[in-house]
C-alpha cells in the first residue's frame, strides 16, 4: 500500500503465458472484474503493477488467471 492509497501488486509470471489480473470487493462467484491483461513475457520474472483505484476501499481482492483469453 503506497502513501496515496494505491495498491502495488507483485506477480510471478511464467515465460510464454498471458495473464488476466482481476479484482473484486467480495469473494462471491461472478463478482470479478478485469484490472489488466499481462502479455506473455520472454522469461519467467516478477511483474509489478499498481491499482490506483484502490484508495478508500475497505477490502479488495485480486487474482491472476492464466491463460488470458
Amino acid at each position: 500500500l503506497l502513501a496515496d492509497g494505491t495498491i502495488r501488486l507483485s506477480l510471478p509470471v511464467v515465460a510464454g503465458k498471458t495473464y488476466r489480473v482481476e479484482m473484486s470487493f467480495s469473494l462471491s462467484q461472478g463478482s470479478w472484474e478485469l484490472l489488466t491483461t499481462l502479455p506473455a513475457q520472454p522469461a519467467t520474472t516478477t511483474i509489478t503493477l499498481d491499482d490506483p483505484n484502490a484508495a478508500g476501499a475497505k477490502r479488495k481482492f485480486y487474482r491472476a488467471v492464466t491463460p488470458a483469453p
Side-chain angles (χ1 to χ4, degrees):
L1 179 62
L2 303 179
D4 65 358
T6 297
I7 297 283
R8 177 160 289 160
L9 304 169
S10 294
L11 302 170
V13 296
V14 176
K17 293 191 177 271
T18 58
Y19 294 83
R20 285 175 50 95
V21 179
E22 299 174 335
M23 58 74 52
S24 179
F25 294 104
S26 77
L27 293 176
S28 300
Q29 187 172 352
S31 65
W32 294 95
E33 299 175 25
L34 178 66
L35 179 64
T36 191
T37 301
L38 300 176
Q41 299 297 306
T44 297
T45 189
T46 298
I47 300 288
T48 301
L49 60 107
D50 293 346
D51 180 3
N53 298 321
K58 290 183 180 179
R59 184 180 336 171
K60 205 165 186 183
F61 302 94
Y62 298 90
R63 70 180 181 186
V65 180
T66 189

